[in-house]
Coordinates of all heavy atoms in Angstrom, one line a residue:
I9 N 105.0 119.6 107.8 CA 106.4 119.2 108.0 C 106.5 118.6 109.4 O 106.1 119.1 110.4 CB 107.3 120.4 107.8 CG1 107.3 120.9 106.4 CG2 108.8 119.9 108.1 CD1 108.1 122.2 106.2
R13 N 111.9 115.0 112.5 CA 112.5 114.1 111.5 C 113.9 113.7 112.0 O 114.7 114.6 112.5 CB 112.7 114.8 110.2 CG 111.4 115.1 109.5 CD 111.6 116.0 108.3 NE 112.4 115.3 107.3 CZ 111.9 114.6 106.3 NH1 110.6 114.4 106.2 NH2 112.7 114.0 105.4
Q14 N 114.3 112.5 111.8 CA 115.6 112.0 112.1 C 116.5 112.5 111.0 O 116.1 112.5 109.8 CB 115.6 110.5 112.1 CG 117.0 109.9 112.6 CD 116.9 108.4 112.8 OE1 115.9 107.8 112.4 NE2 117.9 107.8 113.5
A15 N 117.7 112.9 111.3 CA 118.6 113.4 110.3 C 118.9 112.4 109.2 O 119.3 111.2 109.5 CB 119.9 113.8 111.0
L16 N 118.6 112.7 108.0 CA 118.7 111.7 106.9 C 120.1 111.1 106.8 O 120.3 109.9 106.5 CB 118.2 112.4 105.6 CG 118.0 111.4 104.4 CD1 117.0 110.4 104.7 CD2 117.6 112.2 103.2
Q17 N 121.1 112.0 106.9 CA 122.5 111.5 106.7 C 122.9 110.4 107.8 O 123.8 109.7 107.5 CB 123.5 112.7 106.8 CG 123.6 113.4 108.2 CD 122.6 114.5 108.3 OE1 121.6 114.7 107.5 NE2 122.7 115.3 109.3
D18 N 122.1 110.4 108.9 CA 122.5 109.4 109.9 C 121.9 108.0 109.6 O 122.4 107.0 110.2 CB 121.9 109.9 111.3 CG 122.6 111.1 111.8 OD1 123.7 111.4 111.3 OD2 122.0 111.8 112.6
V19 N 121.0 107.9 108.7 CA 120.4 106.6 108.5 C 120.6 106.0 107.1 O 120.2 104.9 106.8 CB 118.9 106.7 108.8 CG1 118.6 107.0 110.2 CG2 118.2 107.8 107.9
L20 N 121.2 106.8 106.2 CA 121.4 106.3 104.8 C 122.5 105.3 104.7 O 123.5 105.4 105.5 CB 121.7 107.5 103.9 CG 120.5 108.5 103.6 CD1 121.0 109.5 102.7 CD2 119.3 107.8 103.1
A235 N 113.7 131.7 102.9 CA 114.1 131.8 101.5 C 114.4 130.4 101.0 O 114.7 129.4 101.7 CB 115.3 132.6 101.4
M236 N 114.1 130.2 99.7 CA 114.5 128.9 99.0 C 115.9 128.6 99.2 O 116.8 129.5 99.2 CB 114.1 129.0 97.6 CG 112.6 129.0 97.3 SD 112.2 129.1 95.5 CE 112.9 127.6 94.9
Q237 N 116.2 127.3 99.4 CA 117.6 126.9 99.6 C 118.3 126.8 98.2 O 117.7 126.9 97.2 CB 117.6 125.5 100.2 CG 116.8 125.4 101.5 CD 116.8 123.9 102.0 OE1 117.8 123.5 102.6 NE2 115.7 123.2 101.7
E238 N 119.6 126.6 98.3 CA 120.4 126.4 97.1 C 121.1 125.0 97.3 O 122.3 125.0 97.7 CB 121.4 127.5 96.8 CG 120.7 128.8 96.4 CD 120.1 128.7 95.0 OE1 120.5 127.8 94.2 OE2 119.2 129.5 94.7
L239 N 120.4 123.9 97.2 CA 121.0 122.6 97.4 C 121.8 122.1 96.3 O 121.5 122.4 95.1 CB 119.8 121.6 97.7 CG 119.0 121.9 99.0 CD1 118.0 120.7 99.1 CD2 119.9 121.9 100.2
K240 N 122.8 121.4 96.6 CA 123.6 120.7 95.6 C 123.0 119.3 95.3 O 122.9 118.8 94.2 CB 125.0 120.6 96.0 CG 125.9 119.8 95.0 CD 127.3 119.6 95.5 CE 128.1 118.7 94.6 NZ 129.5 118.4 95.1
V241 N 122.7 118.6 96.4 CA 122.2 117.2 96.4 C 120.7 117.2 96.7 O 120.3 117.7 97.7 CB 123.0 116.4 97.4 CG1 122.5 114.9 97.4 CG2 124.5 116.4 97.1
C242 N 120.0 116.6 95.8 CA 118.6 116.4 96.0 C 118.4 115.2 96.9 O 118.9 114.1 96.6 CB 117.8 116.2 94.7 SG 116.1 115.8 94.9
P243 N 117.7 115.4 98.1 CA 117.6 114.2 99.0 C 116.5 113.3 98.7 O 116.4 112.1 99.2 CB 117.2 115.0 100.3 CG 116.6 116.2 99.9 CD 117.2 116.6 98.6
F244 N 115.5 113.6 97.8 CA 114.4 112.8 97.5 C 114.7 111.4 97.0 O 114.0 110.4 97.5 CB 113.4 113.5 96.5 CG 112.8 114.8 97.1 CD1 112.9 115.9 96.4 CD2 112.2 114.8 98.4 CE1 112.3 117.1 96.9 CE2 111.7 116.0 98.9 CZ 111.7 117.1 98.1
F246 N 116.8 109.4 97.8 CA 117.3 108.6 98.9 C 116.3 108.0 99.9 O 116.6 107.1 100.7 CB 118.4 109.4 99.7 CG 119.5 109.8 98.8 CD1 119.5 111.0 98.2 CD2 120.6 109.0 98.7 CE1 120.6 111.4 97.4 CE2 121.7 109.3 97.9 CZ 121.7 110.6 97.2
Y247 N 115.0 108.5 99.8 CA 114.1 108.0 100.7 C 112.7 107.8 100.2 O 111.8 107.4 100.9 CB 114.0 108.9 102.0 CG 113.4 110.2 101.8 CD1 112.1 110.5 101.9 CD2 114.3 111.4 101.6 CE1 111.5 111.7 101.8 CE2 113.7 112.6 101.5 CZ 112.4 112.8 101.6 OH 111.8 114.1 101.5
M294 N 124.2 111.4 92.2 CA 123.7 112.6 92.9 C 124.7 113.1 93.9 O 125.0 114.2 94.1 CB 122.3 112.3 93.5 CG 121.7 113.5 94.1 SD 121.2 114.9 93.0 CE 119.9 114.1 92.1
L295 N 125.2 112.1 94.7 CA 126.2 112.4 95.7 C 127.5 113.0 95.2 O 128.1 113.8 95.7 CB 126.5 111.2 96.6 CG 125.3 110.7 97.5 CD1 125.6 109.3 98.1 CD2 125.0 111.7 98.6
G298 N 125.9 116.1 92.3 CA 124.8 117.0 92.6 C 123.7 116.9 91.5 O 123.7 115.9 90.7
M299 N 122.8 117.9 91.5 CA 121.7 117.8 90.6 C 122.0 118.0 89.1 O 121.2 117.9 88.3 CB 120.6 118.8 91.1 CG 119.9 118.4 92.3 SD 118.6 119.5 92.8 CE 119.5 120.8 93.7
P311 N 113.6 120.5 95.1 CA 114.3 120.3 96.3 C 114.6 121.7 97.0 O 114.6 121.8 98.2 CB 115.5 119.5 96.0 CG 115.7 119.7 94.5 CD 114.3 119.8 94.0
N312 N 114.9 122.7 96.2 CA 115.3 124.0 96.8 C 114.1 124.6 97.5 O 114.2 125.4 98.5 CB 115.7 124.9 95.7 CG 117.1 124.5 95.1 OD1 117.9 123.9 95.8 ND2 117.3 124.9 93.9
S313 N 112.9 124.3 97.0 CA 111.7 124.8 97.6 C 111.0 124.0 98.7 O 110.5 124.5 99.7 CB 110.6 125.0 96.5 OG 109.4 125.5 97.0
A314 N 111.1 122.6 98.5 CA 110.3 121.7 99.4 C 111.1 120.7 100.2 O 110.5 120.0 101.0 CB 109.3 121.0 98.5
A315 N 112.4 120.6 100.0 CA 113.1 119.5 100.7 C 113.3 119.9 102.2 O 113.5 121.1 102.5 CB 114.5 119.3 100.1
N316 N 113.1 118.9 103.0 CA 113.2 119.1 104.5 C 114.6 118.6 105.0 O 114.9 118.7 106.2 CB 112.1 118.3 105.2 CG 110.8 118.8 104.8 OD1 110.5 120.0 104.7 ND2 109.8 117.9 104.6
D317 N 115.4 118.1 104.1 CA 116.7 117.6 104.4 C 117.8 118.3 103.6 O 117.6 118.6 102.4 CB 116.8 116.1 104.2 CG 115.7 115.3 104.9 OD1 115.8 115.0 106.1 OD2 114.7 115.0 104.2
N318 N 118.9 118.5 104.2 CA 120.1 119.0 103.5 C 121.3 118.1 103.8 O 121.8 118.1 104.9 CB 120.4 120.4 103.9 CG 121.5 121.1 103.1 OD1 122.3 120.4 102.5 ND2 121.5 122.4 103.2
I319 N 121.7 117.3 102.8 CA 122.8 116.4 103.0 C 124.0 116.8 102.2 O 124.9 116.0 102.0 CB 122.3 114.9 102.6 CG1 121.9 114.8 101.2 CG2 121.3 114.4 103.6 CD1 121.5 113.4 100.8
D320 N 124.0 118.0 101.8 CA 125.2 118.5 101.0 C 126.5 118.3 101.7 O 127.5 117.8 101.0 CB 125.0 120.0 100.6 CG 124.0 120.3 99.6 OD1 123.3 119.3 99.2 OD2 123.8 121.4 99.2
A321 N 126.6 118.6 102.9 CA 127.9 118.5 103.7 C 128.3 117.1 103.9 O 129.5 116.9 104.3 CB 127.7 119.3 105.0
Y322 N 127.4 116.1 103.7 CA 127.7 114.7 104.0 C 127.9 113.9 102.7 O 128.0 112.7 102.8 CB 126.6 114.1 104.8 CG 126.3 115.0 106.1 CD1 125.3 115.9 106.0 CD2 127.1 114.8 107.2 CE1 125.0 116.7 107.2 CE2 126.8 115.6 108.4 CZ 125.8 116.5 108.3 OH 125.5 117.3 109.4
A323 N 127.9 114.5 101.6 CA 127.9 113.8 100.3 C 129.1 112.9 100.1 O 128.9 111.7 99.7 CB 127.8 114.8 99.1
E324 N 130.3 113.4 100.5 CA 131.5 112.6 100.3 C 131.4 111.4 101.2 O 131.8 110.2 100.8 CB 132.7 113.4 100.6 CG 134.0 112.7 100.3 CD 135.2 113.6 100.5 OE1 135.0 114.8 100.5 OE2 136.4 113.1 100.5
E325 N 131.0 111.6 102.5 CA 130.9 110.5 103.4 C 129.9 109.5 103.0 O 130.1 108.2 103.0 CB 130.6 111.0 104.8 CG 130.3 110.0 105.8 CD 129.7 110.6 107.1 OE1 129.8 111.8 107.3 OE2 129.0 109.8 107.8
L326 N 128.7 110.0 102.5 CA 127.6 109.1 102.1 C 128.0 108.3 100.9 O 127.6 107.1 100.7 CB 126.4 109.9 101.9 CG 125.7 110.5 103.1 CD1 124.6 111.4 102.7 CD2 125.2 109.4 104.0

Side-chain angles (χ1 to χ4, degrees):
I9 296 175
R13 293 171 65 89
Q14 187 172 14
L16 190 60
Q17 65 271 11
D18 294 341
V19 294
L20 294 181
M236 290 179 63
Q237 308 176 79
E238 290 292 336
L239 295 182
K240 175 186 176 184
V241 178
C242 175
F244 294 130
F246 297 92
Y247 70 85
M294 184 66 70
L295 290 170
M299 286 185 278
N312 292 335
S313 175
N316 300 316
D317 305 279
N318 185 341
I319 58 175
D320 286 4
Y322 308 94
E324 186 174 347
E325 173 190 340
L326 290 172

